[in-house]
Amino acid sequence: MKLGTLVKPVLVAALLTTGTVAAAPSAQQVLASSPVDDIVARYPAMMSQGIRDGLKRSGQVPPMVADTIGHVVSSSFRAADIEAAIVQDLQDNLTDQQLQAVRDWYESPVARKIVAAEIAAADPANWQAIQSRAPDLNARYQGTERARLFDRFDRAARATESAVDTAIAVQLGLATAMAAFSSDSVHYDQLKQRIESQRSVLRGVVEQQVYDSYLYTYEKIGAQEMGLYLDFLESGPGSAFSRVVTNSIQRAVTEPIESVGNQMARFLGPEPAGGE
């Protein structure tokens, strides 16, 4: 048998196989299969709501002013920009194999159920429900396996760490706005240093809030399903995905804060004498 008669079938088979093997998913496709893009879409509203609520609780500005500031904050964050940054970071930091593994997980029935729960819990409209149900859920799950799993979840998802960074960003925006009412000129860097010095205290408060949210979000997720989720979060691809996403979001959220604060200060500050 001639060599060519052997090579041709092998070559044809190889070409046919190449046509049937799916290429690795893009970072954009992976993000779309996860809850991240839906949650990021709510980030401008989440930041706006957080600062608006903080201003109203402080009682230092009229409610109408608080709502106006909230609008300024909302218009200063673009979900599309945050998502683009995440996609670029995923492309730069995850391999094709890792991207494929992450997408495979998020396309599983268990992951789709968990994704739906996480997206719902991220909606600011549900924040009051999380707070109101917290005492009951804390009492119900005290000493249970679900409660014991929280530390493992928190480490794998970097939940408290990420929430503390976001809370500091919100407080910094709030403090910058409040500085406009003070006769003392407080520089942005001074405000940032002052708030950062309270990180350890803030962490204790935020960790409880994250725990409350954890109990609420995964209330209808079974023990076996939660175990599969934690296995994914602790895996190489899952860990890399969580790390890159949380870092990207924190950078995208904190970078505009100084400019947001300046906008609010101009809005709240007294007009120059003589209209100059």
Side-chain angles (χ1 to χ4, degrees), residues 16-272:
L16 290 174
T17 302
T18 301
T20 59
V21 173
S26 67
Q28 184 69 60
Q29 290 172 324
V30 172
L31 199 65
S33 67
S34 78
V36 175
D37 60 335
D38 293 273
I39 293 173
V40 163
R42 293 186 168 97
Y43 252 81
M46 292 165 67
M47 294 293 291
S48 172
Q49 190 68 44
I51 289 181
R52 184 186 293 115
D53 290 348
L55 285 169
K56 289 181 178 179
R57 281 195 302 270
S58 73
Q60 297 182 52
V61 298
M64 185 179 296
V65 174
D67 289 335
T68 302
I69 293 172
H71 176 71
V72 171
V73 173
S74 179
S75 63
S76 299
F77 293 90
R78 295 186 67 251
D81 293 340
I82 300 175
E83 184 171 330
I86 296 172
V87 168
Q88 186 61 57
D89 286 346
L90 288 173
Q91 289 175 346
D92 293 342
N93 292 281
L94 267 67
T95 66
D96 287 347
Q97 291 79 8
Q98 288 176 318
L99 290 172
Q100 183 67 62
V102 172
R103 192 184 189 190
D104 287 347
W105 158 255
Y106 279 118
E107 289 186 341
S108 69
V110 171
R112 285 196 291 268
K113 181 179 178 181
I114 292 172
V115 164
E118 291 180 338
I119 291 173
D123 190 337
N126 290 324
W127 290 358
Q128 186 173 354
I130 294 174
Q131 292 174 348
S132 63
R133 294 201 58 209
D136 174 63
L137 291 175
N138 273 260
R140 184 192 307 177
Y141 288 106
Q142 185 176 6
T144 66
E145 182 63 19
R146 181 56 58 94
R148 287 189 288 271
L149 282 176
F150 173 70
D151 287 342
R152 182 181 169 194
F153 164 82
D154 197 25
R155 286 192 302 270
R158 307 176 76 204
T160 297
E161 177 186 348
S162 176
V164 168
D165 287 339
T166 300
I168 285 177
V170 170
Q171 287 202 10
L172 187 55
L174 180 60
T176 307
M178 290 297 94
F181 285 96
S182 174
S183 58
D184 298 327
S185 176
V186 183
H187 194 272
Y188 175 85
D189 290 338
Q190 292 176 290
L191 286 173
K192 185 175 181 180
Q193 184 177 5
R194 185 182 304 169
I195 292 171
E196 279 286 353
S197 69
Q198 301 170 3
R199 178 178 286 268
S200 60
V201 176
L202 183 62
R203 180 180 178 85
V205 175
V206 170
E207 186 172 20
Q208 180 61 51
Q209 294 174 342
V210 171
Y211 179 65
D212 295 342
S213 180
Y214 159 83
L215 294 180
Y216 177 92
T217 302
Y218 305 109
E219 183 180 10
K220 296 181 180 179
I221 305 299
Q224 184 178 9
E225 294 169 327
M226 199 66 191
L228 292 172
Y229 185 31
L230 293 175
D231 288 343
F232 163 72
L233 290 175
E234 292 171 341
S235 69
S239 177
F241 180 76
S242 296
R243 183 184 67 254
V244 170
V245 166
T246 53
N247 287 343
S248 295
I249 289 176
Q250 292 314 314
R251 190 170 63 251
V253 166
T254 56
E255 283 179 351
I257 282 293
E258 184 171 7
S259 64
V260 170
N262 290 335
Q263 289 182 59
M264 290 191 290
R266 285 197 298 271
F267 170 75
L268 293 170
E271 293 184 3

Side-chain angles (χ1 to χ4, degrees), residues 4-28:
T5 60
L6 288 173
V7 171
K8 287 180 181 178
V10 172
L11 180 59
V12 171
L15 291 173
L16 290 174
T17 302
T18 301
T20 59
V21 173
S26 67
Q28 184 69 60

